[in-house]
Amino acid sequence: MKEPTVRTQKIHRNYLKLRLIIFGGLALALVIASYFSESLCPYDPYLQDLGNAKAIPSAAHLFGTDRYGRDMLSRVIVGSKTSIYSTLLLVGFIMVFGTMIGIFCAWSGKKIDSVLMRISDIFLAFPGLVFALAVAAALGGGVHNAIIALAAISWPKYARVARSQTLAQKETVYIKAARLSGCGTGKIILKHILPNIFGPILVTAVLDIGTMMMELAGLSFLGLGAKPPIAEWGSMMSDTRNLLTTHPWVTLAPGFAIFVSVVIFNLLGDTVRDWLDPRNGR
């Protein structure tokens, strides 16, 4: 009776492994390609050719050209570096910072825990993107300020995940045994706590990449992120939005790039979550 169940679970595990390889490979290829984006551009993304402005998509210009005659494919390719690496930097920062705060809260005791969690409640009480707009506007816009604005509203979720996981691990038998064996706090956190809470935090981070990418693009679209002529997908859509009805390819090209990137990272996040689910390892 158990053979079909074991066989089915093995097939499901292999399917998850295949998905992880495919979507992980696509995400890695996207990151590597964006790093070498300047070398992959068929044209200079900043070279203006007014005689070829607003050209329709063709063999010479697959995504057409913008109002200044700049090749849209080249601008989309070179804009990937700003969009993707800004997102990865943002997610990496809030993951590390939020995890540190969460572990510190769970380990320090009720008073510090209560104070820091109430601070996180204040950040969570505001609508996220609205608060980010206010912070970015106060800082004056720009990619770095947009990252700071989104980081200010995004760290509490990681702090709460890390806190809840640390509290669950804190009272386990192996942690008590580590204390009795003479392990210090730092060693217990690094050797025992972090490896056991890293799974949920990693899943949260990977699933957050697509969301952060869209929010960064949103801030740029509203003029609070990257500034022209810097090639960044959100600012490119903002700069060409008045051409949407007459020359839609100019606006749709960076929008399509955002769509593809977000789908890849979201599918990767779903696959990582399923892969790390303990029920799939039985």
Side-chain angles (χ1 to χ4, degrees):
M1 293 295 293
K2 292 185 178 180
E3 259 188 285
T5 304
V6 172
R7 184 167 178 268
T8 301
Q9 289 183 349
K10 186 176 181 181
I11 292 172
H12 181 59
R13 190 70 175 175
N14 290 335
Y15 171 66
L16 284 178
K17 185 176 181 180
L18 179 62
R19 283 176 53 192
L20 188 63
I21 292 172
I22 292 173
F23 297 129
L26 288 173
L28 182 61
L30 197 60
V31 172
I32 294 175
S34 64
Y35 183 80
F36 295 102
S37 56
E38 288 89 349
S39 303
L40 299 175
C41 294
Y43 299 94
D44 184 344
Y46 299 102
L47 180 63
Q48 298 184 12
D49 182 9
L50 297 178
N52 198 30
K54 301 176 186 177
I56 63 173
S58 61
H61 302 280
L62 293 180
F63 288 173
T65 61
D66 64 6
R67 71 182 74 192
Y68 302 110
R70 297 174 296 192
D71 180 61
M72 284 305 299
L73 176 60
S74 299
R75 288 185 61 75
V76 167
I77 291 174
V78 81
S80 65
K81 190 170 187 177
T82 303
S83 298
I84 292 174
Y85 278 90
S86 296
T87 302
L88 295 178
L89 174 64
L90 170 61
V91 173
F93 174 77
I94 59 178
M95 179 181 71
V96 173
F97 181 75
T99 301
M100 290 171 57
I101 294 295
I103 294 175
F104 183 70
C105 288
W107 203 265
S108 297
K110 291 184 178 180
K111 290 185 178 180
I112 296 177
D113 182 23
S114 179
V115 171
L116 290 176
M117 286 299 102
R118 297 299 76 77
I119 293 174
S120 73
D121 288 341
I122 293 173
F123 284 98
L124 291 172
F126 290 96
L129 192 56
V130 175
F131 186 64
L133 285 170
V135 174
L139 294 175
V143 176
H144 295 93
N145 291 335
I147 292 174
I148 293 172
L150 289 173
I153 65 163
S154 302
W155 66 268
K157 83 176 79 169
Y158 294 90
R160 290 198 168 271
V161 171
R163 175 181 175 272
S164 63
Q165 294 291 320
T166 303
L167 286 173
Q169 297 292 327
K170 188 177 178 182
E171 301 303 323
T172 55
V173 175
Y174 77 93
I175 292 295
K176 293 179 180 179
R179 285 175 172 171
L180 291 174
S181 67
C183 289
T185 299
K187 186 175 181 179
I188 291 175
I189 291 175
L190 292 175
K191 188 176 179 180
H192 299 290
I193 298 293
L194 271 178
N196 286 285
I197 71 171
F198 185 68
I201 294 171
L202 177 63
V203 171
T204 304
V206 178
L207 286 171
D208 224 14
I209 293 176
T211 303
M212 292 296 106
M213 186 177 294
M214 288 191 293
E215 292 189 355
L216 271 174
L219 290 179
S220 296
F221 184 84
L222 295 172
L224 296 173
K227 302 292 185 182
I230 295 175
E232 192 272 341
W233 293 338
S235 65
M236 288 165 62
M237 292 185 69
S238 176
D239 191 43
T240 60
R241 64 183 183 274
N242 58 347
L243 299 175
L244 183 60
T245 55
T246 56
H247 303 83
W249 58 86
V250 181
T251 306
L252 294 179
F256 180 73
I258 294 174
F259 169 77
V260 171
S261 301
V262 170
V263 167
I264 289 174
F265 283 111
N266 281 350
L267 290 173
L268 176 61
D270 289 337
T271 305
V272 171
R273 179 189 59 198
D274 293 341
W275 177 264
L276 295 177
D277 189 338
R279 292 172 296 180
N280 292 321
R282 293 175 184 171

